Amino acid sequence: QMCIRDSVMVGSTVFSWILLFSDNWWWVPLIVTGAGLVGKFAFSKKADPARLAVLAEKKAAIRLEHEEARRQLLSTLAGWKSLSGHQFEHAVARHFRSQGWTGEVTPRSRDGGVDLVLRRPGDIIIVQCKKLSGVVGVDVVRELVGARSATPQATGAWVVALNGFSADARRFAERHDVKLISIAEEIAAG
């Protein structure tokens, strides 16, 4: 009888052997994926429905704990500061999804000054996220205005910053209809 533990051991043994003795190992993910599928198949054929129900309950409980921990972390400025730039973008996207927007984080490179694209019926908002230790200057807002002109389907442009905006950035944003959102100010407002 093969169980999931056995298939993982076989997969990791094969993976180790390939890394040690092969110069051409581009196909390793195929083997590892195959071993995982074999293990999943072997596990699912012998699965006890009662055990699967218990595992599903545990998974749901872990997911709830994870969501609560994330919510607590992001309720403080220190929590937001602890994120990497990429995590910051994903946290901002998650925040807007919780407010009814759909949205995706753009690819890391060559994003044209747009980190997120948020959608609701009739609205497409391009968003630039900045996790800087200081305030965001006018250059960031200027870049997003340029990105909006290159994105004709966008109905709005927002800049989300960790620590607020300079006076010049606020004036420029007001003249060019860019919404500025400060995480620090949002947390302080409660």
Side-chain angles (χ1 to χ4, degrees), residues 2-188:
M2 184 175 201
C3 69
I4 191 77
R5 178 180 46 87
D6 296 332
S7 69
V8 169
M9 288 176 65
V10 167
S12 62
T13 302
V14 169
F15 181 70
S16 299
W17 181 83
I18 292 167
L19 287 179
L20 287 173
F21 300 107
S22 176
D23 290 334
N24 187 8
W25 54 279
W26 59 267
W27 42 274
V28 169
L30 300 174
I31 291 177
V32 172
T33 302
L37 293 175
V38 167
K40 195 171 193 175
F41 177 76
F43 180 74
S44 65
K45 286 189 72 102
K46 310 246 185 269
D48 174 22
R51 183 164 184 239
L52 288 177
V54 169
L55 290 175
E57 287 176 22
K58 286 182 181 180
K59 182 178 176 183
I62 289 169
R63 182 177 291 133
L64 286 174
E65 287 175 16
H66 182 72
E67 286 297 320
E68 180 58 28
R70 181 184 303 140
R71 211 175 354 268
Q72 286 178 1
L73 174 74
L74 299 180
S75 68
T76 67
L77 189 57
W80 282 92
K81 285 180 179 180
S82 72
L83 301 176
S84 70
H86 192 64
Q87 291 170 330
F88 182 77
E89 292 171 4
H90 282 276
V92 170
R94 198 174 304 111
H95 170 74
F96 286 118
R97 281 189 210 113
S98 74
Q99 295 181 347
W101 291 89
T102 59
E104 65 270 359
V105 176
T106 61
R108 284 184 173 187
S109 64
R110 298 189 188 111
D111 62 11
V114 177
D115 295 321
L116 306 174
V117 178
L118 300 174
R119 291 182 171 81
R120 273 190 188 166
D123 283 322
I124 298 175
I125 308 295
I126 58 173
V127 182
Q128 174 70 281
C129 299
K130 287 296 177 188
K131 183 193 167 266
L132 303 175
S133 56
V135 296
V136 169
V138 71
D139 292 345
V140 171
V141 183
R142 204 174 275 131
E143 181 183 15
L144 189 61
V145 169
R148 182 175 56 192
S149 66
T151 314
Q153 68 271 25
T155 58
W158 300 348
V159 180
V160 179
L162 185 62
N163 290 310
F165 302 89
S166 70
D168 287 342
R170 290 181 186 280
R171 281 191 294 275
F172 190 84
E174 189 175 320
R175 281 197 311 267
H176 294 279
D177 196 29
V178 174
K179 182 177 181 178
L180 303 180
I181 301 168
S182 167
I183 299 295
E185 290 171 13
E186 296 279 324
I187 290 173

